[in-house]
């Protein structure tokens, strides 16, 4: 969440950190095609995902800190 888009599989621990469509993109664990499609979309239209990147950074700063960035 240091300004990068968060893309992850929808698994237990990740659900505590990433809210799909708000702070990142989540796909089902074995949905390789869905993850590839989301990555291609993010690469084709990076500005579209700026709100997610910014929201993720705010979420981490508010709840965890950015000392690792």
């Amino acid at each position: 969440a240091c300004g990068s888009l968060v893309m992850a599989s929808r698994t237990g621990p990740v659900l505590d950190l990433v809210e799909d469509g708000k702070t990142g993109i989540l796909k089902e664990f074995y949905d390789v095609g869905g993850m590839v499609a989301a990555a291609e979309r993010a690469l084709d239209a990076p500005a579209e995902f700026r709100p997610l990147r910014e929201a993720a950074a705010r979420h981490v700063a508010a709840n965890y800190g950015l000392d690792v960035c």
Side-chain angles (χ1 to χ4, degrees), residues 21-46:
K22 296 192 189 250
T23 60
I25 298 171
L26 296 176
K27 295 295 177 186
E28 295 304 321
F29 191 72
Y30 289 107
D31 185 6
V32 175
M35 189 68 80
V36 168
E40 288 175 341
R41 199 169 121 228
L43 290 170
D44 288 342

Side-chain angles (χ1 to χ4, degrees):
C2 299
S4 297
L5 179 62
V6 176
M7 296 181 66
S9 296
R10 190 183 311 274
T11 59
V14 173
L15 295 174
D16 294 335
L17 301 170
V18 180
E19 187 174 351
D20 191 28
K22 296 192 189 250
T23 60
I25 298 171
L26 296 176
K27 295 295 177 186
E28 295 304 321
F29 191 72
Y30 289 107
D31 185 6
V32 175
M35 189 68 80
V36 168
E40 288 175 341
R41 199 169 121 228
L43 290 170
D44 288 342
E48 179 182 337
F49 296 92
R50 179 179 304 243
L52 275 70
R53 294 192 311 266
E54 292 171 350
R58 283 192 305 275
H59 176 75
V60 169
N63 297 286
Y64 304 100
L66 289 176
D67 58 325
V68 297
C69 293

